[in-house]
Amino acid sequence: MNEVLSKNELTVEEHVQRIQQCLDKTRQSIFETVISIKECRDQVGDEVFQKEISTRLGMSPSTLNRWLSIGNSQFVMSHQDQVPSTFTGLYYLTQLEKKYSEYYSRDSFQRLEKLLLDGKIHENTQQTDIQEILNKISNQIKKRKKKEREKNIVDLVGGNIGSDDKSTTLDQLIDDRSMFRCIFVDLKKELISRWGDDGFFETDIQSEFPVHELRSPSITETVTCLIRVPMRRIDVGIKVLSAFGFNYRDTFVPSSKLNEMTLLDNQDVLIRGERGGGQKLTNTYLVSSKTNDVLKFCETEFNSPFLVVFDEVSRDNWVCITK
């Protein structure tokens, strides 16, 4: 029996063809955008790209850089017809490419192509599926790093309590098996931007800067971490706190004697995390968020040994990691 259609109606097949044409145009458009952004960055340079181009397009520098990551991805650009055409899906693929390059080194590209051959990545792959592969390789990297370092932070017998009053590197402290009961982290702007990226996971932070290996055991005593961060990026501070192996406890904010609500934005705050039993503070007041005032507070409230991360201080009983 033939289907009777009104004048302006389309058949099912015609609808499918029409939608497919639109999807093909969308795919073509997104890759044209990727190529245009990459060519712009290559020609005008990073400074103009990050400032002027970003402003004129009404697009944040971080979003522009994600587009650029797609354009710089050898895997994505070599398989445009075989990968998803959504912005988020493509960006996740660039992160996956970096992880595979880190873990598999020379044959990483072939292993990525095998994901295509096995049907694990295709043009209709959902971003959640890509993220699942990302999480898997991130965990593999984490396990390998842990095995390479051959560190076992179980009790104080196997490690050394951090020596006092010196500046050093993270790797050296890990090699010495030093451990600390109180850690203060001055989270710098460039790290807030890098580690705050949605594509940068807690496992990535742990692999790149494994401060968690410097925690002393928390069986009998509380181990504390304070992180200084602008209020508007407190989410990054909590992310880093968790990556370093601490549970969020509370936040110190600038005080106000007014009853009214005050908006906090660029003001520095201190977030506190703990491992082990919760420690009740005897004093909940800090003179300021300046480094020396924070260190004084730590000395009166928490147990040594003390560690400062991303800042250099000249103060007895404190070890510093500047990079």
Side-chain angles (χ1 to χ4, degrees):
M1 185 174 181
N2 293 330
E3 183 179 2
V4 179
L5 300 172
S6 63
K7 183 179 180 179
N8 295 322
E9 285 189 69
L10 301 176
T11 65
V12 171
E13 182 63 28
E14 287 172 333
H15 276 298
V16 171
Q17 290 179 356
R18 183 183 181 188
I19 293 171
Q20 188 60 56
Q21 287 174 354
C22 291
L23 290 174
D24 291 341
K25 289 179 181 178
T26 299
R27 174 178 296 275
Q28 181 181 354
S29 177
I30 198 168
F31 280 107
E32 286 178 351
T33 303
V34 167
I35 293 170
S36 296
I37 289 176
K38 185 179 186 305
E39 289 179 348
C40 174
R41 164 60 179 80
D42 292 343
Q43 291 178 21
V44 305
D46 189 63
E47 184 174 358
V48 174
F49 181 77
Q50 296 289 344
K51 295 180 179 179
E52 184 175 349
I53 301 300
S54 170
T55 301
R56 296 186 64 173
L57 288 176
M59 191 181 298
S60 69
S62 61
T63 300
L64 258 184
N65 285 328
R66 292 184 186 187
W67 281 101
L68 188 60
S69 295
I70 297 171
N72 287 330
S73 169
Q74 182 185 358
F75 175 67
V76 170
M77 300 307 292
S78 297
H79 301 89
Q80 296 180 30
D81 295 332
Q82 298 172 273
V83 296
S85 58
T86 65
F87 170 72
T88 304
L90 291 173
Y91 178 69
Y92 279 178
L93 282 179
T94 68
Q95 302 305 298
L96 185 63
E97 183 177 13
K98 291 178 182 177
K99 293 296 181 184
Y100 265 55
S101 178
E102 178 181 354
Y103 191 77
Y104 294 113
S105 188
R106 293 183 179 180
D107 64 341
S108 60
F109 196 86
Q110 289 73 23
R111 288 180 177 271
L112 284 169
E113 288 188 319
K114 190 174 185 303
L115 294 177
L116 293 173
L117 292 174
D118 293 344
K120 294 181 179 179
I121 294 177
H122 48 80
E123 61 184 63
N124 296 318
T125 303
Q126 300 296 309
Q127 64 190 54
T128 52
D129 297 326
I130 301 174
Q131 191 161 10
E132 185 177 339
I133 302 173
L134 250 177
N135 291 337
K136 183 177 179 180
I137 189 66
S138 295
N139 287 332
Q140 288 176 317
I141 292 172
K142 177 184 176 183
K143 290 178 182 178
R144 187 172 71 178
K145 290 276 188 181
K146 188 174 182 179
K147 185 178 180 180
E148 286 174 352
R149 293 182 183 278
E150 296 180 344
K151 304 304 178 186
N152 181 23
I153 308 179
V154 176
D155 52 48
L156 289 173
V157 176
N160 300 313
I161 292 298
S163 59
D164 297 335
D165 194 23
K166 66 177 184 180
S167 295
T168 185
T169 64
L170 176 64
D171 287 340
Q172 185 60 57
L173 289 177
I174 292 175
D175 289 341
D176 292 343
R177 304 191 72 184
S178 298
M179 300 177 188
F180 300 87
R181 295 193 182 98
C182 179
I183 301 172
F184 168 57
V185 181
D186 181 16
L187 205 55
K188 302 299 184 182
K189 183 178 179 181
E190 57 271 18
L191 285 177
I192 292 175
S193 176
R194 175 176 170 78
W195 289 351
D197 191 294
D198 290 339
F200 212 92
F201 303 103
E202 289 182 14
T203 51
D204 298 324
I205 299 173
Q206 291 173 346
S207 297
E208 182 175 295
F209 207 80
V211 169
H212 61 283
E213 296 198 28
L214 299 180
R215 302 186 317 258
S216 67
S218 54
I219 299 173
T220 58
E221 292 187 80
T222 301
V223 184
T224 304
C225 180
L226 288 172
I227 297 183
R228 181 167 60 201
V229 66
M231 180 63 188
R232 61 187 176 84
R233 297 316 309 268
I234 192 173
D235 59 315
V236 183
I238 293 175
K239 178 181 180 181
V240 174
L241 191 72
S242 178
F244 287 171
F246 293 88
N247 297 316
Y248 171 76
R249 182 68 185 272
D250 45 37
T251 304
F252 290 89
V253 301
S255 63
S256 174
K257 297 181 180 179
L258 301 175
N259 292 324
E260 293 86 354
M261 300 291 288
T262 303
L263 176 67
L264 298 180
D265 185 15
N266 288 321
Q267 298 94 328
D268 283 340
V269 298
L270 287 170
I271 59 173
R272 180 169 69 112
E274 291 181 330
R275 284 184 69 86
Q279 179 175 341
K280 187 175 181 179
L281 298 177
T282 58
N283 179 23
T284 59
Y285 173 78
L286 276 79
V287 176
S288 75
S289 62
K290 294 180 179 179
T291 298
N292 279 334
D293 290 329
V294 174
L295 302 191
K296 288 179 184 178
F297 176 81
C298 290
E299 290 168 356
T300 59
E301 289 291 331
F302 310 122
N303 296 319
S304 64
F306 300 110
L307 175 69
V308 177
V309 182
F310 305 132
D311 201 354
E312 188 166 6
V313 299
S314 178
R315 191 177 182 87
D316 291 342
N317 302 322
W318 287 86
V319 176
C320 308
I321 300 175
T322 57
K323 61 180 179 179

